[in-house]
Amino acid sequence: MEVVGQVPRRRLGAAGPEVPVFGLGSWNTWDRMETGAAVELVRAAVDHGVNLFDVAHYNFGPHAENARTDVIFGRVAAEAGLRREDYLLCGKLWLWDYPASSLSDALKVALGRIGTDRADMVVAGDFFGELDVRRVVADVAEMVAAGLFTSWGVNNWSAADLRLAIGFARAEGLVPPSFAQLKYSVARRSVPEGEPYGGLFADGLGLQASDVLEGGILAGKLNPERKIGADPGGIRERIRDSFPALKRVADGFGATPAQVAVAYCLTHPATASVLVGVSRREQFDDNLGALDLLARHGDELRAAVADLWADRDVVAPDASWGTEAP
């Protein structure tokens, strides 16, 4: 497929910024690449209008692994000649130790590791158990006022917790979350396509799709050697077994499985951006081909992959990640 020029941009929620439909994620990405290849990838991405980078300091909860991928990204961006105004930075506010640890202090450390003093948007990350949602909203508002970022979203929250956050923010005149970063793929649909989140999307919430290739499994790397994301519902083996069917669908469209997986997520009316964790230039170029597939066969994609929905009746539509349906 022909590689496109500038990728389209969509608004990340009614109150959010315009972003490219593709964003590059950082977990186990930059630390798997040679510096020269990473610089080439970053330059190519920005040349195509893919200037959204999701970069985090992985040092909390299950991510307490002393990763340096964020530090590496900062160096790569500098070597690629990027000015801070040339790209959009999406950071993370990890909630594992909240409120015992300060979100503001942690973010400043994370930004310093990249080599900047501000993000454009942040995502309030995963959490287990109870969370003082109102306190999170108030703390985020203070960081917005301090100029650390301008918009924010949440990562794999339940629709009920997110609705509480939006309602409280609006009632108090604070900045509400404008998007949700959710696990979304041809296999994982229960939450992004469920009725609870559907109401939020109808009200103007944006969707940022993550884990769209299931750590590479949906691109054909059936047994990834690197650490990949959590497996809500315990369906990863089912996803692995479904790859031949996805390959047949892709062959029928004259596309690659990764292109089908990415294009599928872009058919969701609320999707503003799809996060991909490419570590080679050819993967990036292949993902760009999803836009051509979407233009040619967008109306057919959902029916074509209908049988690949692996978490149907397994993960509850109003779930936070890891919560199974009753």
Side-chain angles (χ1 to χ4, degrees):
M1 290 185 180
E2 181 182 356
V3 176
V4 299
Q6 292 284 301
V7 304
R9 301 178 83 84
R10 298 179 180 179
R11 191 162 294 283
L12 189 54
E18 283 196 347
V19 298
V21 294
F22 295 123
L24 297 187
S26 71
W27 192 39
N28 291 319
T29 297
W30 309 110
D31 49 2
R32 289 187 290 137
M33 302 181 68
E34 296 293 334
T35 300
V39 169
E40 178 190 357
L41 174 61
V42 166
R43 285 175 176 160
V46 173
D47 286 346
H48 284 289
V50 181
N51 67 336
L52 171 62
F53 298 95
D54 181 271
V55 184
H57 181 197
Y58 293 99
N59 68 327
F60 290 103
H63 302 310
E65 53 200 34
N66 296 315
R68 292 181 55 78
T69 189
D70 52 335
V71 175
I72 295 169
F73 168 77
R75 293 174 180 170
V76 167
E79 190 164 332
L82 296 189
R83 301 166 299 172
R84 182 60 187 83
E85 57 267 29
D86 292 333
Y87 66 94
L88 298 171
L89 177 63
C90 183
K92 283 288 197 305
L93 298 174
W94 298 117
L95 298 171
W96 304 106
D97 297 330
Y98 182 81
S101 61
S102 163
L103 295 180
S104 178
D105 289 348
L107 181 62
K108 289 175 182 177
V109 169
L111 293 174
R113 288 168 60 89
I114 298 169
T116 184
D117 60 359
R118 65 178 177 85
D120 295 283
M121 63 206 76
V122 299
V123 176
D126 308 318
F127 65 91
F128 287 125
E130 296 296 322
L131 177 70
D132 188 340
V133 171
R134 295 175 180 83
R135 182 169 179 174
V136 172
V137 173
D139 285 352
V140 166
E142 291 183 2
M143 287 184 275
V144 171
L148 293 176
F149 51 88
T150 56
S151 61
W152 69 292
V154 304
N155 180 230
N156 297 321
W157 286 24
S158 72
D161 284 331
L162 180 51
R163 190 174 292 281
L164 173 60
I166 293 171
F168 175 73
R170 288 175 176 169
E172 298 297 320
L174 305 175
V175 178
S178 62
F179 67 97
Q181 187 183 99
L182 300 175
K183 286 180 177 290
Y184 187 33
S185 70
V186 296
R188 299 188 187 275
R189 312 180 197 174
S190 292
V191 175
E193 296 184 7
E195 183 177 340
Y197 257 100
L200 291 168
F201 294 139
D203 289 340
L205 184 75
L207 171 60
Q208 190 175 73
S210 67
D211 295 298
V212 299
L213 296 178
E214 194 72 17
I217 292 173
L218 293 174
K221 297 181 179 179
L222 301 185
N223 297 288
E225 295 181 358
R226 67 181 178 90
K227 183 178 179 181
I228 62 177
D231 181 17
I235 60 171
R236 186 154 291 147
E237 194 62 34
R238 189 185 306 178
I239 295 174
R240 187 177 288 110
D241 291 343
S242 74
F243 179 75
L246 176 62
K247 180 67 165 57
R248 288 192 293 271
V249 171
D251 289 344
F253 286 131
T256 65
Q259 288 168 348
V260 171
V262 171
Y264 176 83
C265 293
L266 289 171
T267 66
H268 193 303
T271 299
S273 62
V274 173
L275 297 179
V276 291
V278 300
S279 58
R280 298 197 311 274
R281 171 66 188 273
E282 52 265 37
Q283 292 174 325
F284 174 74
D285 291 341
D286 183 71
N287 287 340
L288 289 181
L291 295 176
D292 179 62
L293 173 63
L294 183 67
R296 293 187 297 114
H297 297 292
D299 294 339
E300 306 166 55
L301 279 173
R302 287 189 167 270
V305 300
D307 293 338
L308 302 182
W309 183 355
D311 70 348
R312 187 204 303 260
D313 301 324
V314 176
V315 173
D318 189 38
S320 56
W321 72 290
T323 306
E324 297 185 5

